[in-house]
Amino acid sequence: MFEFLHPTRRGFLLTAGAFTAWSFAPQFASAAPGRDPRFLTVVLRGGMDGLAVIEPAFDPDFERARAGLILGADGTPAGLPIAGGFLMNPKLVALHEMFSQGEALAIHAVATPYRDRSHFDGQDVLESGLSGTGAVSTGWLNRAMSQLGKAGSVKAGGLAIGPTVPLIMRGPASTLTWAAGGVKPATEDARARLLNFYKSADPTLASAFGRGLDLERIASANAGMSAAMGQPGADHPEANSNFVKGMQMVAKLFTDPNGPRIGAIDLDGWDTHATERPEGDNLGKALAELDAGLAALKTSLGPAWNETVVVVATEFGRTVRMNGTEGTDHGTATVAFLAGGAVKGGRVLADWPGLSDKALFQARDLAPTTDLRSVLKGALRDHLGIEEAALGRDVFPDSGAVKPMDGLMKVA
């Protein structure tokens, strides 16, 4: 289905495997009786070329505008049909299957409020949830977690996959981090001594440290989890990437009765200034890794997938036209995804602006027609039960005019 829309450290490293206690005591909340929702945000760092990932093949100006960057040209694989004349990049085999099963949707011509082309500023706006750049110390996902105690009974306390807590997860709500490899684990004796010290010196930090130890034990259980948790086949080129391992760990912690239910993970590699042509490997490698991670997450979550929402977003898109090095430069609008068993999928949502010269933003970019915050608000409201007023005031400050997008979830 193709639907047109109308715009209306406090940290302490524990182990190599490696948890960091960030912030303070865990909080609790609830969306609806009997539900146990999960919410994961995947940040694609570098600016993903949405037009190369979801092609608007129906657009009469597409072939001319995208010369040299079209799927199926020059003997390369053709795109996979999804809805309304859109084609999905063939590297996204697992995501395409999720679309077919009604478990994923795409939002095209979407952007944050940011309109310049700095990776650093663009990522700050994406993660802060603010209307523009400026000094900020908290992220929208952490502020959303802080609302859960007011919403009902969802288990709060967040998880960030990576060596540090990204901006999107910083703030007053309790967050732990996990990173694959790199540091020798602390001994059990050292952990016990530290915990006893914090109990006497700083009870608040002791609580966070103790929770980190509990989650580390969860993460360390069943060391052979790769085979048991739906890792892509051993011959898959991305089967052993840190991103796939991170997605498996998200699933392991999301399914544990005492684990977190809110999380964030990054994937780099989307700054495709060169060799982005369909037969090139820059964009293709990044897409294959994303696809492998989503496949591993779904399989590893098992029945919990049915109560999961995954947001996949990037800081901005790329230019419509190819540059001199067979790549694309920093642009504006792009595509975002929602995936998960709770998503009302099988659709592409777009207020399509067109690709004629006069329709392009600043004569070079896909024009933005949907505010990413409306998508995030709709998912947070209908999946986690956060009130619309709090979304416009606290989670995404000063965004009251940006209304939550309706109809994103199977059950609101």
Side-chain angles (χ1 to χ4, degrees), residues 356-380:
S356 66
D357 290 343
K358 66 179 181 181
L360 300 184
F361 179 73
Q362 295 183 350
R364 50 176 277 166
D365 301 339
L366 177 64
T369 57
T370 298
D371 192 319
L372 180 63
R373 293 173 297 176
S374 71
V375 180
L376 301 174
K377 284 184 175 185
L380 292 169

Side-chain angles (χ1 to χ4, degrees), residues 59-78:
D59 190 310
D61 295 299
F62 174 69
E63 187 171 351
R64 172 193 56 78
R66 280 249 118 179
L69 291 170
I70 298 176
L71 295 170
D74 303 322
T76 60

Side-chain angles (χ1 to χ4, degrees), residues 17 25 28 38 70 102 159 179 214 234 241 260-261 264 282 303 310 323 331 351 356 368 371 376-377 395 407:
F28 297 92
R38 285 86 168 166
I70 298 176
L159 172 68
D214 289 341
S241 77
R261 295 295 185 264
N282 281 357
V310 182
N323 63 24
D351 179 13
S356 66
D371 192 319
L376 301 174
K377 284 184 175 185
V395 180

